Structure formats: structure tokens, C-alpha cells
Amino acid sequence: MTPKHEKQEFVTVLVRDPKIQKEDSWHSYIDYEIFIHTNSMCFTRKTSCVRRRFREFVWLRQRLQKNAVLIQLPELPPKTPFFNMNNPHHVDHRRQGLQEFLEKILQNALLLSDSRLHLFLQTQLSTEDMEACVSGQTKYSVADAINTFASLKRRFPIEQEEKKREKNDADSDSESSSSRLGHSSDDSLSYGCKASTVPEES
């Protein structure tokens, strides 16, 4: 018999917070925040937050299909020449399509066993680095990559850390030692993702 209080596994995925990013002087693209909250044993981390662009979703679908040829994968929202990243309706329609794609992918146990999916959802590795990791061409494993990203993503980028340190040094010159007790910790701030209702991800 099944225990009364046995917890049912769940995976919650949210695709949200689209942002326009500058690729170079002439080109821009939109990336989306992917938030995962789960109690599934399939996942190395129970909460995660990354940003991905549309072409990375295309790469993911191609790789998943190659490794699961007997499965009919869900479609991505169509790429259209009429897509306007400054049109909120266009952007939100694509965001909804990307979320529906991931929701369907995460319901399939065979696809959940693909390491590329986990690197896509729980690290910020490039597609090239994900391929190298899965192929055993890196010094780190899939789990190492995921755990390392989880530990780093709460910190500021190096240049921001240096600016903050310089500011703190300047403040300490003009303030008394007792006032230093009020300084907040960097660990209370997140890098790359907006605040979440899950404490671990705030």
C-alpha cells in the first residue's frame, strides 16, 4: 500500500521576464528567465534559475530529438520574419510557447534522463560547452557544472564586486567603525534572476 503521506513528485517550470540583450552594435536578441522548482530525484538542484535565448531552445529540441528518435517532441513556437522584439504581444506569445514546450518535455521520463536538458535548465553553459560536458570532454561532470553554477549565481560579476569593494573602502574612510555593522552581505542578492517566492532562489 502507498503511505498516506508520501509526497508526489512535481516539477514546476516558469519561462518569464523577457529582456532585450545587445549582441553587438547592430544586433539584439531576447532572452528569457527559466525558473525550476521541483522535488524530483531526477534533478541535481531542487530550485534553479537561468536565462536562455530562442536559438538555444532550438538547439535543445534538436539534440533531444536526435537522442529519442521514437518520441514525437512538442513543437517550439514558430520562428517568423514578422517577429518584433519591441512588440509585447509577439514577445509574450513566444514566451508562452517556450513554457508550454518545456512543460511537455518535463513530463517525459525518457527526456528527463538526457543530461543536456539538465545542463540547459540548471547552468548557464553555452551549447558548445554543454555538448563537451555531456561527451566527457571537460574536467567537470554534469552534476559539477550544475552545483558550481548554483554556488556562483548569487554573486555579483567580478567587475561589480570590485566596484562595490571600492565603494565600501571609500565609505569606511569617512564613517566610524561602528557604522560598518550596517553593511549588507552580497549573499542576500541574486545574479541574473529576479526575486522568487522560493526562499532559496531569492
Side-chain angles (χ1 to χ4, degrees):
M1 295 179 63
T2 303
K4 291 182 179 179
H5 300 293
E6 183 179 353
K7 290 184 178 179
Q8 184 176 0
E9 284 196 352
F10 69 88
V11 181
T12 299
V13 58
L14 298 175
V15 178
R16 61 190 185 185
D17 191 29
K19 289 183 178 179
I20 297 177
Q21 309 288 356
K22 293 285 288 184
E23 192 163 22
D24 53 42
S25 300
W26 300 99
H27 302 93
S28 299
Y29 64 91
I30 292 181
D31 66 6
Y32 304 82
E33 179 186 296
I34 304 173
F35 173 72
I36 294 288
H37 178 44
T38 182
N39 65 353
S40 172
M41 296 299 293
C42 296
F43 286 81
T44 303
R45 306 290 301 186
K46 303 313 177 189
T47 55
S48 61
C49 188
V50 301
R51 299 196 70 87
R52 294 291 183 188
R53 58 189 297 183
F54 183 79
R55 74 180 185 188
E56 291 175 308
F57 279 86
V58 174
W59 170 87
L60 176 66
R61 188 182 186 282
Q62 290 173 345
R63 292 302 181 273
L64 292 177
Q65 186 68 83
K66 183 177 180 180
N67 293 333
V69 292
L70 298 180
I71 296 177
Q72 182 61 44
L73 265 67
E75 296 294 334
L76 288 166
K79 188 171 184 179
T80 168
F82 303 107
F83 179 81
N84 181 355
M85 67 177 61
N86 294 310
N87 185 317
H89 175 73
H90 288 186
V91 174
D92 193 60
H93 185 265
R94 175 172 286 185
R95 180 201 61 76
Q96 291 177 15
L98 295 175
Q99 176 157 326
E100 290 170 4
F101 168 76
L102 288 180
E103 287 173 344
K104 293 174 182 176
I105 290 294
L106 292 173
Q107 292 173 11
N108 188 295
L110 179 59
L111 298 178
L112 271 175
S113 67
D114 195 309
S115 296
R116 292 173 183 81
L117 175 62
H118 293 271
L119 290 171
F120 177 88
L121 293 173
Q122 298 202 298
T123 77
Q124 208 64 65
L125 292 178
S126 67
T127 55
E128 293 82 4
D129 288 340
M130 284 189 277
E131 282 289 359
C133 182
V134 170
S135 302
Q137 300 174 11
T138 58
K139 294 181 179 180
Y140 51 84
S141 67
V142 172
D144 290 339
I146 292 172
N147 285 321
T148 299
F149 175 73
S151 67
L152 292 177
K153 80 180 202 64
R154 289 176 176 270
R155 304 175 187 173
F156 284 101
I158 294 174
E159 59 270 23
Q160 291 187 356
E161 287 184 335
E162 291 176 347
K163 289 180 181 179
K164 184 176 177 63
R165 192 179 302 114
E166 291 172 359
K167 182 179 184 301
N168 286 343
D169 290 342
D171 290 344
S172 65
D173 291 338
S174 60
E175 295 175 0
S176 66
S177 59
S178 61
S179 67
R180 296 174 193 167
L181 298 175
H183 287 212
S184 61
S185 169
D186 286 350
D187 290 340
S188 65
L189 299 170
S190 63
Y191 166 48
C193 296
K194 66 181 181 182
S196 166
T197 55
V198 180
E200 185 179 351
E201 291 301 309
S202 61

